[in-house]
C-alpha cells in the first residue's frame, strides 16, 4: 500500500462547505441590508431581522462542520452535532455504496457510524477518492493477526 496518504489528513466536503458558508454570508448581508433600508421598521424589528439572519447563518455553519481527521492514533469523526474519536482497530470496514448519502464505518462493537465528512453530494468523485483513501488507511493500520491478515471480530 504505497499510495497511502500522509498523516495527518482531513477529509471534508469542501464544495458543499463553500456553498453553505457563501449562502450563509449572503443571507446575513441581504437580510441586514433589507432591514436597514425599510424605513418603516423600528429598532426592535430591525434587530429581529438581523438576529434571524445570524441564526440562519449559524444553522448553515453547523451543516458545514462535518469532517474526518485521520492521524497516527486513529480517526476523529466530526458530524453536525457530535464528535467521536476511534482507534484504527475499531474500524472494520469503510463503506460508500451507490446511493449512500455519506460514508458509513462498520465498527468492532457491531455498530455503524455515519461519516458526514465524506459525502458524494456535490463532488461525487472526490468523495469516492476520499472513501478509498480512508479505507486503505483503515486496512493498513487496523489490527494485524499473526498470519498477517486483519483480524475480523465476531460476536
Amino acid at each position: 500500500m504505497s499510495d497511502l496518504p500522509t498523516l495527518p489528513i482531513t477529509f471534508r466536503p469542501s464544495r458543499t462547505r463553500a456553498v453553505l458558508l457563501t449562502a450563509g454570508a449572503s443571507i446575513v448581508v441581504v437580510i441586514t441590508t433589507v432591514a436597514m433600508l425599510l424605513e418603516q421598521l423600528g429598532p426592535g424589528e430591525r434587530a429581529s431581522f438581523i438576529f434571524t439572519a445570524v441564526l440562519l447563518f449559524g444553522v448553515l455553519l453547523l451543516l458545514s462542520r462535518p469532517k474526518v481527521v485521520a492521524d497516527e492514533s486513529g480517526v476523529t469523526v466530526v458530524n453536525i452535532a457530535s464528535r467521536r474519536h476511534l482507534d484504527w482497530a475499531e474500524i472494520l470496514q469503510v463503506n460508500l455504496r451507490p446511493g449512500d448519502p455519506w460514508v458509513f464505518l462498520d465498527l468492532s462493537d457491531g455498530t455503524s457510524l455515519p461519516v458526514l465528512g465524506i459525502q458524494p453530494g456535490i463532488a461525487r468523485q472526490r468523495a469516492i477518492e476520499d472513501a478509498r483513501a480512508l479505507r486503505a488507511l483503515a486496512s493498513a493500520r487496523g489490527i494485524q493477526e499473526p498470519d498477517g491478515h486483519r483480524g475480523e471480530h465476531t460476536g
Side-chain angles (χ1 to χ4, degrees):
M1 302 237 174
S2 59
D3 286 346
L4 288 177
T6 304
L7 296 178
I9 186 169
T10 300
F11 303 104
R12 74 173 1 140
S14 301
R15 288 183 189 169
T16 301
R17 182 176 165 84
V19 168
L20 290 170
L21 295 177
T22 301
S26 299
I27 287 170
V28 170
V29 168
V30 168
I31 291 178
T32 301
T33 302
V34 168
M36 294 304 175
L37 292 176
L38 290 175
E39 295 174 8
Q40 67 268 29
L41 294 181
E45 292 168 316
R46 282 193 174 115
S48 69
F49 267 70
I50 295 168
F51 175 75
T52 301
V54 170
L55 190 61
L56 289 171
F57 181 76
V59 169
L60 294 176
L61 189 62
L62 273 177
L63 291 174
S64 71
R65 184 174 183 250
K67 66 180 176 179
V68 182
V69 179
D71 60 26
E72 295 295 333
S73 68
V75 174
T76 302
V77 176
V78 179
N79 286 332
I80 293 170
S82 67
R83 172 189 215 95
R84 183 170 175 192
H85 180 78
L86 302 163
D87 292 330
W88 286 110
E90 292 180 77
I91 302 169
L92 299 179
Q93 191 169 357
V94 178
N95 298 307
L96 180 60
R97 293 174 286 262
D100 281 351
W102 39 72
V103 163
F104 290 90
L105 300 179
D106 291 340
L107 305 178
S108 59
D109 65 2
T111 63
S112 181
L113 178 67
V115 179
L116 281 64
I118 303 175
Q119 51 183 266
I122 294 175
R124 180 165 185 71
Q125 192 56 43
R126 170 71 187 267
I128 291 169
E129 291 167 9
D130 288 351
R132 285 180 180 151
L134 185 58
R135 184 178 300 127
L137 285 167
S139 178
R141 296 183 169 277
I143 296 174
Q144 299 291 321
E145 296 295 330
D147 63 2
H149 292 93
R150 182 134 185 250
E152 293 302 320
H153 301 301
T154 56

